[in-house]
Amino acid sequence: MIYDLIIVGLGPAGVGAAIYAKRSGLNVLCLEAEAPGGLLNKINTVDNYLGFPHTTGPELAVQLFQQITKLEIPYKIKKVTEIEAGEIKKVHCDDEVFEAKYIIVASGRKARKLGLKNEANLVNKGISYCAICDAALYKGKDVAVVGGGNSAIEEAIYIAKLVNKVYLIHRRDEFRADEKLVNDLKALPNVEILYNSNVTELIGEDKLEGIIVNGDKKLDVACLFTYVGYEPEGDFLSELGITDEKGYIIVDENYQSKADGIYAAGDAILKKVYQIVTAASEGAVAALEVVRRVKNNK
Ligand code: NAP
C-alpha cells in the first residue's frame, strides 16, 4: 500500500500532524521507535501547555496517545533506519519498508551526553538522563544534577523532593533557565549550587561511586542526572542531505525540507523555540500543507 503520509515520531509534533492529517481524510501511518509521547515520557512537570495548568510529561503523553487511538490513527512501534526520497518515498525499518507520497519527520531529540570516560557503561548504574524514571531509586541519598537550562533546574526541583541532597553543577555563574524556576530552586533547603563547575571524572567501574568536579573536588553522590541539552535523533536522515552540520533539519515556512514532499516539525528542526506548544503547532501546519497538496494532487 502507498500511504498519503507517513509520520515519523509520535511526540507532540507527530501527534499534532497525525490529528490534522487523519481528520482531513488522509491515509496516514505513524511510526514511533519507543513510546508514544516521545520526550514527554521523560519530563516531570509540564505547566506551560495550554489547557493543562499543571500536569506531568507522562500524563500528557497518555492524553496524546488516547487522541491517536480515539481517532483510529494507524501506528506501529518501529524504528526508522533510512528514508529514501523520490516521488514515492520509502521508509525503511529494521524488518519492513513502507511507502508514502509525503513524509513528516517528527523524530525529536535525545539527551546530549557529557562525553566522560565510562559514562556509557554507567547508564542506569548511577548515570541518568531521566529524573522521572530514576530519581525515586535514590531516596535518602545525595545526588548531583548537571546543567543550567530549564530542564536541569526543573528536574533538580523534582529530584530534591525525593532525595537527601542535590548538588546542582553549572559550568557558568548565570543560568539560562527561566527566572521563576531558578528562584524556586534556590529556595530549596537541600540544594547546593556549584557555579563555574564542571564534572571532570566519574568514579566507579560497574556502579557510580562519586564524581570529581573541577579536577579535584570529590562529591560522594549515588547518581548524576545529566541535563546538558539535546541533540537530534536523525541518524536515519544522513543520506538525504536535509540537515545542518549538527543534524537539525532545515525547513521552509511550510515546514518542507529541501527534499520535495519531505516535511519536518518539532525538536528535529532548526528553529529558535523548542517547546511542546510550538512542536504541536508545527506538526499541524506541516500536515495541513500535505493535505493541501494531496487534495490538489501535486
Ligand atoms: P539547554 O537550554 O540547551 O541548556 C543546556 C544547559 O546545559 C546549558 O545551561 C548549558 O550550559 C549546559 N551544558 C551544555 N553542554 C554542557 C557540557 N558539556 N557540560 C556542562 N554543561 C553543559 O537545554 P534544556 O535545558 O534541556 O532545554 C532545551 C530546550 O527545551 C530549551 O529551549 C528550553 O527552554 C526548553 N525547555 C523548556 C521547559 C519549560 O518551558 N518549562 C522545560 C524544559 C526545557 P551554558 O548555559 O553554559 O550553555
Side-chain angles (χ1 to χ4, degrees), residues 5 10 22 24 56 78 80 126 151 160 165 170 197 204 208 213 242-243 254 266 273 282:
L5 171 65
L10 269 181
K22 175 73 178 183
S24 300
T56 69
K78 282 189 185 285
V80 174
S151 298
K165 175 168 183 170
H170 181 35
S197 298
L208 188 77
V213 175
I242 59 172
T243 59
N254 293 319
V273 179
E282 291 150 11

Side-chain angles (χ1 to χ4, degrees), residues 95-231:
D95 55 353
E96 220 169 339
V97 180
F98 302 96
E99 295 185 322
K101 294 178 200 155
Y102 297 94
I103 308 282
I104 296 176
V105 180
S107 48
R109 298 195 290 180
K110 61 186 171 202
R112 186 181 290 137
K113 313 284 181 285
L114 280 172
L116 290 170
K117 194 170 161 227
N118 213 23
E119 185 177 354
N121 288 337
L122 291 173
V123 173
N124 298 331
K125 298 171 196 158
I127 296 287
S128 172
Y129 307 94
C130 179
I132 198 166
C133 316
D134 299 330
L137 302 172
Y138 299 98
K139 268 186 191 152
K141 304 213 165 135
D142 293 354
V143 305
V145 176
V146 58
N150 278 324
S151 298
I153 308 306
E154 238 174 34
E155 301 304 326
I157 291 168
Y158 169 73
I159 295 165
K161 289 181 193 139
L162 297 169
V163 304
N164 182 53
K165 175 168 183 170
V166 175
Y167 295 95
L168 190 284
I169 301 166
H170 181 35
R171 65 184 179 182
R172 291 189 294 133
D173 59 2
E174 270 178 43
F175 290 108
R176 65 171 67 214
D178 297 348
E179 201 180 324
K180 180 186 181 307
L181 284 174
V182 174
N183 290 338
D184 288 351
L185 180 80
K186 285 180 177 168
L188 296 174
N190 63 338
V191 173
E192 182 178 336
I193 301 175
L194 306 182
Y195 296 99
N196 301 314
S197 298
N198 280 295
V199 181
T200 46
E201 197 183 322
L202 305 174
I203 306 167
E205 280 305 311
D206 304 320
K207 180 175 160 246
L208 188 77
E209 287 158 10
I211 57 174
I212 304 284
V213 175
N214 288 349
D216 55 8
K217 184 179 166 77
K218 182 169 183 266
L219 297 180
D220 291 323
V221 292
C223 185
L224 175 65
F225 291 92
T226 302
Y227 283 100
V228 294
Y230 291 87
E231 53 198 16

Side-chain angles (χ1 to χ4, degrees), residues 53-103:
H54 180 75
T55 186
T56 69
E59 273 165 15
L60 192 53
V62 168
Q63 298 283 339
L64 299 192
F65 185 51
Q66 282 175 354
Q67 227 166 340
I68 291 286
T69 50
K70 194 164 176 220
L71 284 168
E72 298 181 350
I73 298 171
Y75 70 92
K76 290 178 189 279
I77 301 298
K78 282 189 185 285
K79 187 172 171 56
V80 174
T81 54
E82 193 192 341
I83 295 176
E84 276 183 69
E87 197 172 336
I88 301 301
K89 285 99 187 137
K90 291 196 167 129
V91 181
H92 295 257
C93 299
D94 286 334
D95 55 353
E96 220 169 339
V97 180
F98 302 96
E99 295 185 322
K101 294 178 200 155
Y102 297 94
I103 308 282

Side-chain angles (χ1 to χ4, degrees), residues 229-248:
Y230 291 87
E231 53 198 16
E233 276 282 6
D235 292 345
F236 61 95
L237 300 170
S238 53
E239 295 296 306
L240 286 173
I242 59 172
T243 59
D244 71 358
E245 69 290 350
K246 289 186 179 154
Y248 287 96

